[in-house]
Every structure is written in C-alpha cells, then in structure tokens.
Amino acid sequence: MRSDPRPAAAGRRHDVLRVLKAANGPRSITQIATSLGVHPNTVRFHLDTLVENGQVERAPSDRDRPGRPPSLFRARRGMDRTGPRHYRLLAEILAENLAAEPDPGARAVAAGHAWGRGLAAATSGASREQRPVGRGDGGDITGPAEPAERLVRLLDYLGFAPDPPDTATSAGADLCVGLRHCPFLDLAETTARVVCPIHLGVMRGALEAWAAPLTVDRLEPFAEPDLCLAHLVPVRAGS
C-alpha cells in the first residue's frame, strides 16, 4: 500500500519556505534547490503553491547582468495565513468570560442587538445580488409579512435553518419562527445563558434596524429536542 504523499509534500514545501525566511535576500530556484539538495523542478512546484497561498512573492531580478536573469523569490513578511484556526476556542473564552459577568443575559442581548443592527444595515446597503435577506430597499417596512420574511432570510443566512412563520394568522396574533439548527450548538449546550440571549439580541437588532413593526418578545430554547422558537410580537407604541 502506498503512503499518502501529501504530508511529505507539505513538509518539503515548509522546507522551501524555511530557506527563504532564513535567507538575507531573494533566492533563485537553483539556490533553493542546492540548499535543500533536491531537483529544481521540485522547488519550482512548491514555489507555485507558496506564491498562490501568498506566503512567497517574486522579487525583482538583477537586470544589469548579461543573459536572462533568473527568477528570484522571497518570503512575504507577516504571519502565515495558512496555519490552523481555533475560532471555537476563542468563542469559548469569550462566552465563558461574558457568563462570569454580572447579569450576563442582559449584556449578551445588548451585544447581539448591536451586532444585529450592524448586520441588517450592511445587508440593506448591499446590492440586490449581495443581500442575504429580504426583498426591500432598506427603508421602513409596514406589514408583518415582509419583516418576518426578512428575518427568516437573515436567520437562514446565519445558519439557523429557520421555519417561516404562518403570516396568515389574525391581526395582532403572535408569530413564531422555528430554528431547526444552532450554528453555535456546542456553546449553547454549555453556556446557553449567554449564547441564546445573543441570538435574541441579533434578531431584535435586525428588526429595529429595518424599522419593522415587529420585535422578538422571547426566544424559547429547545422547545422541542430539535427546535427553538422565536416569538414575534407587534412593537408597542413608545417602546
């Protein structure tokens, strides 16, 4: 059975990058190959990937010498953007820190509210093709159907797999949006007192940014094993 060549290729690519980072100036393919004791074609192959990844860049050649100048390369300054990401760890740190604050629920709602307003404003200002939510032009909206629809589209864009509410109910009746998926499920199961209020705030902030006649009165986490419910109610005068 053949071993997987990808780890070896990644290791050789790392060696090429290491040589360029340690060099005191740009290096040609031949110079890199000599340093590593490999064929120039091997170096050329890995340089193509490194340039494409933004880790290496071409350097100006010395055109004062006769003949065709060799291609020179140098490592780009800055952190390696192809390394592993651990955003979940960052999310856990922030969620646990917020949960330790006084009145974490209210603070989480406020944080989500601010982010929801910003997201709604940004998508309202985008082109029609770029908008993940709604069909309106970002101005005030009046009836309950359109803001509810826009909220569903926003939640779908964020990964909540929402169930649209029944907007044919009688006037003044509450609407419910079902959330079939939580994009932060692992965190919600351990720090629901922070994650769920953030979701509530995001929905409230978006509806407020759209000047909608609806708001989210409450979010009912895990109303069923596979379902959370967002309860929409008319905005009260003066609120």
Side-chain angles (χ1 to χ4, degrees), residues 107-121 198 201-206 208-209:
R107 292 174 64 89
V109 169
H113 186 278
W115 192 82
R117 281 190 61 88
L119 178 62
I198 288 177
V202 168
M203 290 185 280
R204 286 178 176 173
E208 183 180 298

Side-chain angles (χ1 to χ4, degrees), residues 13-59:
R13 190 155 52 246
H14 176 76
D15 290 340
V16 172
L17 183 60
R18 174 176 51 80
V19 168
L20 289 174
K21 285 186 174 182
N24 56 7
R27 289 291 182 266
S28 68
I29 292 175
T30 301
Q31 289 173 320
I32 299 170
T34 300
S35 297
L36 296 176
V38 299
H39 195 278
N41 285 345
T42 301
V43 173
R44 186 176 290 106
F45 170 78
H46 292 299
L47 280 172
D48 288 343
T49 301
L50 290 168
V51 170
E52 183 178 346
N53 290 345
Q55 298 170 274
V56 169
E57 63 185 2
R58 296 180 181 273

Side-chain angles (χ1 to χ4, degrees), residues 124-125 131 136-142 146 150 207-212:
S124 293
R131 287 177 193 156
D137 60 2
D140 291 359
I141 45 186
T142 53
E146 186 174 350
R150 295 185 75 182
L207 289 168
E208 183 180 298
W210 296 327

